[in-house]
Amino acid sequence: MPVSCSAYGCKNRRTILSKHRGITFHQFPKDPGLRKAWILAFRRLDFKPSNKTVLCSDHFMQADFDRTGQTVRLREGVIPSVFASFPNHLKRRPIKARSTKTSRRALEPIKDPVPAPKCSEPPKPAVSDHHYALDPAQVKKKLSDAQARIEELERQLRNAKDRERRQKQVLKSLLERLEERGMLSEAIEIELLQESD
């Protein structure tokens, strides 16, 4: 049975003709995060790919392929992005780049608060006669790292609370303006104020 591309409106099938045209077929990734990204890019409601579900090469950019060997492979971490057969309302719109320092920082990966120690030399034997004795220098370093992480998290919490307070002020001022213009009933105002608290 010929294999067909599972993208919406795509008619490509794995045949000799498609092979001569240079169309390759690629299975969904096994990595759960990347698999979910592919499913989201598909934009098909309740779509659950099987182990045999494939997507043809027409849905990837040329830079997404590794053509160094005999087999055409996708580069690691690639997500399908070309869906010409999508109706206009499903075609991806360009995403604006984040502009503020805080929003760009939100995209950065979080560092591990307690990184694993990097030992290039074997551990020194403990001075104490107990094998479970701790090295005071290591304990002090871990403690200072933990305190620095706590201070960073407290700063982030303060910033989040400040943003929330500013948003509440904006909401209240908007409600006041709507009430002044007579565009807001008392019931809606009470409900909105209760939801914002």
Side-chain angles (χ1 to χ4, degrees), residues 28 34-44 47-49 80:
F28 273 69
L34 190 57
R35 189 178 187 96
K36 186 174 183 178
W38 277 41
I39 292 169
L40 289 174
F42 248 53
R43 299 187 180 206
R44 286 179 60 182
F47 178 72
K48 290 183 178 57

Coordinates of all heavy atoms in Angstrom, one line a residue, residues 28 34-44 47-49 80:
F28 N 7.1 11.0 11.8 CA 7.0 11.9 13.0 C 8.1 11.6 14.0 O 8.4 10.4 14.2 CB 5.6 11.9 13.6 CG 4.6 12.8 13.0 CD1 4.1 12.5 11.8 CD2 4.2 13.9 13.7 CE1 3.2 13.3 11.2 CE2 3.3 14.7 13.1 CZ 2.8 14.5 11.9
L34 N 9.2 17.5 20.4 CA 9.3 17.8 18.9 C 8.1 17.2 18.2 O 7.5 17.9 17.3 CB 10.6 17.2 18.4 CG 10.9 17.6 16.9 CD1 11.1 19.1 16.8 CD2 12.2 16.9 16.5
R35 N 7.6 16.1 18.7 CA 6.4 15.5 18.1 C 5.2 16.4 18.2 O 4.4 16.7 17.3 CB 6.1 14.1 18.7 CG 5.0 13.3 18.0 CD 4.9 12.0 18.7 NE 4.0 11.1 18.0 CZ 4.4 10.2 17.2 NH1 5.7 10.0 16.9 NH2 3.5 9.4 16.6
K36 N 5.1 17.0 19.5 CA 4.0 17.9 19.7 C 4.1 19.2 18.9 O 3.1 19.7 18.4 CB 4.0 18.3 21.2 CG 2.8 19.2 21.6 CD 2.8 19.4 23.1 CE 1.6 20.2 23.5 NZ 1.5 20.4 24.9
A37 N 5.3 19.7 18.7 CA 5.6 20.9 17.8 C 5.1 20.6 16.4 O 4.5 21.4 15.7 CB 7.0 21.3 17.9
W38 N 5.4 19.3 15.9 CA 5.0 19.0 14.5 C 3.4 18.9 14.5 O 2.9 19.4 13.5 CB 5.5 17.6 14.2 CG 6.9 17.6 13.7 CD1 8.0 18.3 14.1 CD2 7.4 16.7 12.6 NE1 9.1 18.0 13.4 CE2 8.8 17.0 12.5 CE3 6.8 15.8 11.8 CZ2 9.6 16.4 11.5 CZ3 7.6 15.2 10.8 CH2 9.0 15.5 10.7
I39 N 2.8 18.4 15.5 CA 1.3 18.3 15.5 C 0.7 19.7 15.5 O -0.2 19.9 14.8 CB 0.9 17.4 16.7 CG1 1.3 16.0 16.5 CG2 -0.6 17.5 16.9 CD1 1.1 15.1 17.8
L40 N 1.3 20.6 16.3 CA 0.8 22.0 16.3 C 1.0 22.6 15.0 O 0.1 23.4 14.5 CB 1.5 22.8 17.4 CG 1.1 22.4 18.8 CD1 2.0 23.2 19.8 CD2 -0.4 22.6 19.1
A41 N 2.1 22.4 14.3 CA 2.3 23.0 13.0 C 1.3 22.4 11.9 O 1.0 23.1 11.0 CB 3.8 22.7 12.5
F42 N 0.9 21.2 12.2 CA -0.1 20.6 11.3 C -1.4 21.3 11.2 O -2.1 21.3 10.2 CB -0.3 19.1 11.7 CG 0.2 18.1 10.8 CD1 1.5 18.2 10.4 CD2 -0.6 17.1 10.3 CE1 2.0 17.2 9.5 CE2 -0.2 16.2 9.5 CZ 1.1 16.2 9.1
R43 N -1.9 21.8 12.4 CA -3.1 22.5 12.5 C -4.3 21.7 12.1 O -5.2 22.2 11.4 CB -3.1 23.8 11.7 CG -2.0 24.8 12.2 CD -2.1 26.1 11.6 NE -1.1 26.9 12.1 CZ -1.2 28.2 12.2 NH1 -2.2 28.8 11.7 NH2 -0.2 28.9 12.6
R44 N -4.3 20.4 12.5 CA -5.5 19.6 12.3 C -6.1 19.2 13.6 O -5.4 18.8 14.5 CB -5.0 18.3 11.6 CG -4.7 18.5 10.1 CD -4.3 17.3 9.4 NE -5.2 16.3 9.4 CZ -5.0 15.1 8.8 NH1 -3.9 14.8 8.2 NH2 -5.9 14.2 8.9
F47 N -5.7 15.6 15.8 CA -4.8 14.8 15.0 C -3.8 14.0 15.9 O -3.1 14.6 16.7 CB -4.0 15.7 14.0 CG -3.1 14.9 13.2 CD1 -3.5 14.0 12.2 CD2 -1.7 15.0 13.4 CE1 -2.6 13.3 11.4 CE2 -0.8 14.2 12.6 CZ -1.3 13.4 11.6
K48 N -3.8 12.7 15.8 CA -2.9 11.9 16.6 C -2.1 11.0 15.6 O -2.7 10.0 15.1 CB -3.7 11.0 17.6 CG -4.2 11.9 18.7 CD -4.9 11.0 19.7 CE -5.5 11.8 20.9 NZ -6.4 12.8 20.5
P49 N -0.9 11.3 15.3 CA -0.1 10.5 14.3 C 0.2 9.1 14.9 O 0.5 9.0 16.1 CB 1.1 11.3 14.1 CG 1.3 12.1 15.3 CD -0.1 12.4 15.8
P80 N 8.1 21.3 10.6 CA 7.6 21.6 9.2 C 7.0 23.0 9.3 O 6.3 23.4 10.2 CB 6.5 20.5 9.0 CG 6.2 20.0 10.4 CD 7.4 20.2 11.2

